[in-house]
């Protein structure tokens, strides 16, 4: 059964002129990066509305930064896994390859994956909490672990900084949304390692399918997307992706 599914998907990938992958936290799970939901997920111990919203940050920037500082340290100790490596190889070899990632950990970038659209920003980038200032860059990279100070500040003007990530209730960058929408026009749309509950990302699979893409989910568990894809493969991304043959 699994072998048949892998053969079918491999054939689809080989024939495709455009392939889009939507990745989520499950892709980094084998690297040791905690997922959000599920038995060991971050939300088991931290309520999202206490930490991943602009209101939470306004209320207690130190608390929110402590959580991000802890996550940055944890991610810095992680290495990309076989799923990241396979997608990086596909990005060089498959025509019209695009990767939409919800992950902020930077592990796809660490293995030089091409054509990556970061839907929710990066945990390694910071920006001014009160909006851009003409004297300073709009966003800057900061890979210090632990952070030089909590809450983090702009190295140039000293103003309060925030992680350049997208919190609940915040809009995604319009350019990013345009790129994501364009990527839903493809032959194969693969949704990997995401619970498919957070919008707008969760809506892309349906859009791709309505536009004629062959939609596939790779996840060890059933998700919100499972019933609405053409092929649902139960398995871990680090096992399934390397088992697919694109040549
Ligand atoms: C494995 C595995 C292995 C484990 N291999 N797999 C429409 C309807 C309803 C609500 C909304 C809507 N449109 C917008 C909203 C509101 C909201 C939303 O979606 N809420 C829902 C929760 C209901 N969305 C927003 O607010 C977004 N903004 C927006 O739309 O603006 C306009 C607007 C605002 C308000 C109202 C209406 C419109 C912004 C969303 C930002 C999400 N931000 C976060 C935090 C990022 C920063 C940070 O990291 O700190 O992004 S939340 C968190 O969830 C993070 C993730 O990217 C995101 C998705 O999580 P993901 O990747 O799916 O992880 P998990 O843990 O959920 O799932 C892991 C999966 O892996 C599981 O399925 C496992 O089985 C699997 N797995 N091991 C493969 N080895």
């Amino acid at each position: 059964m699994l072998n048949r599914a892998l053969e079918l998907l491999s054939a689809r990938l080989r024939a495709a002129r455009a392939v889009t992958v939507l990745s989520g936290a499950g892709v980094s799970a084998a690297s040791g990066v905690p997922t959000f939901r599920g038995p060991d997920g971050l939300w088991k111990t931290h309520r999202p509305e206490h930490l991943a919203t602009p209101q939470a940050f306004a209320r207690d920037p130190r608390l929110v930064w402590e959580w991000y500082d802890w996550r940055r340290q944890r991610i810095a100790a992680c290495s990309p896994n076989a799923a990241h490596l396979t997608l990086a190889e596909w990005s060089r070899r498959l025509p019209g390859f695009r990767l939409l990632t919800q992950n902020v950990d930077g592990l796809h970038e660490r293995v030089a994956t091409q054509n990556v659209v970061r839907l929710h920003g990066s945990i390694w980038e910071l920006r001014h909490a009160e909006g851009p200032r003409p004297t300073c860059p709009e966003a800057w990279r900061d890979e210090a672990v632990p952070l030089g100070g909590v809450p983090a500040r702009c190295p140039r003007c000293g103003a309060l900084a925030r992680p350049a990530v997208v919190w609940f209730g915040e809009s995604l960058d319009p350019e990013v949304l345009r790129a994501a929408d364009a990527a839903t026009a493809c032959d194969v749309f693969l949704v990997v390692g995401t619970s498919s509950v957070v919008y707008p990302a969760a809506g892309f699979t349906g859009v791709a399918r309505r536009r004629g893409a062959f939609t596939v989910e790779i996840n060890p568990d059933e998700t919100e997307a499972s019933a609405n894809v053409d092929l649902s493969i139960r398995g871990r991304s680090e096992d399934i992706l390397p088992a697919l043959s694109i040549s």
Side-chain angles (χ1 to χ4, degrees):
M1 191 76 166
L2 176 62
N3 279 348
R4 249 198 72 147
L6 295 180
E7 273 166 30
L8 172 64
L9 177 52
S10 295
R12 288 280 187 163
L13 288 168
R14 286 193 296 267
R17 283 158 305 160
V19 173
T20 296
V21 176
L22 169 65
S23 73
V27 168
S28 295
S31 298
V33 180
T35 59
F36 291 90
R37 298 159 192 89
D40 302 319
L42 290 167
W43 295 157
K44 277 281 160 200
T45 43
H46 306 91
R47 295 191 39 193
E49 62 272 27
H50 287 175
L51 292 164
T53 64
Q55 293 79 6
F57 188 76
R59 198 166 44 238
D60 195 344
R62 177 177 295 275
L63 174 71
V64 173
W65 263 121
E66 277 168 0
W67 187 57
Y68 277 94
D69 196 22
W70 170 77
R71 285 177 57 202
R72 285 162 56 105
Q73 292 178 50
R74 182 127 187 203
I75 294 165
C78 295
S79 302
N81 65 58
H84 297 107
L85 288 167
T86 301
L87 292 174
E89 189 197 341
W90 288 9
S91 77
R92 289 185 287 271
R93 294 185 45 202
L94 281 178
F97 177 91
R98 285 166 288 192
L99 175 65
L100 309 177
T101 187
Q102 297 171 86
N103 299 346
V104 300
D105 57 31
L107 292 183
H108 286 303
E109 293 88 334
R110 287 246 296 267
V111 287
T113 313
Q114 293 169 18
N115 297 323
V116 179
V117 178
R118 282 200 309 248
L119 299 169
H120 295 160
S122 168
I123 203 165
W124 305 111
E125 285 178 18
L126 276 56
R127 59 185 169 88
H128 287 104
E130 304 294 341
R133 292 191 168 188
T135 49
C136 305
E138 199 171 317
W140 60 93
R141 214 162 164 82
D142 180 338
E143 295 180 3
V145 283
L147 278 159
V150 170
R153 300 198 164 270
C154 171
R156 189 174 287 210
C157 73
L160 181 65
R162 58 162 284 176
V165 299
V166 183
W167 284 325
F168 282 116
E170 293 184 320
S171 296
L172 277 66
D173 183 307
E175 279 292 311
V176 162
L177 278 176
R178 262 193 292 279
D181 182 61
T184 60
C186 58
D187 301 310
V188 178
F189 189 96
L190 209 54
V191 47
V192 190
T194 173
S195 55
S196 289
V197 294
V198 173
Y199 285 82
F204 298 153
T205 312
V207 175
R209 196 178 192 200
R210 284 192 291 281
R211 286 180 160 179
F214 181 68
T215 53
V216 185
E217 178 183 58
I218 298 173
N219 198 304
D221 296 326
E222 188 172 337
T223 74
E224 301 288 318
S226 306
N228 301 312
V229 289
D230 297 299
L231 178 64
S232 190
I233 300 179
R234 289 275 161 276
R236 302 182 311 175
S237 51
E238 64 274 20
D239 300 328
I240 301 296
L241 291 173
L244 294 162
S245 165
I246 60 162
S247 51

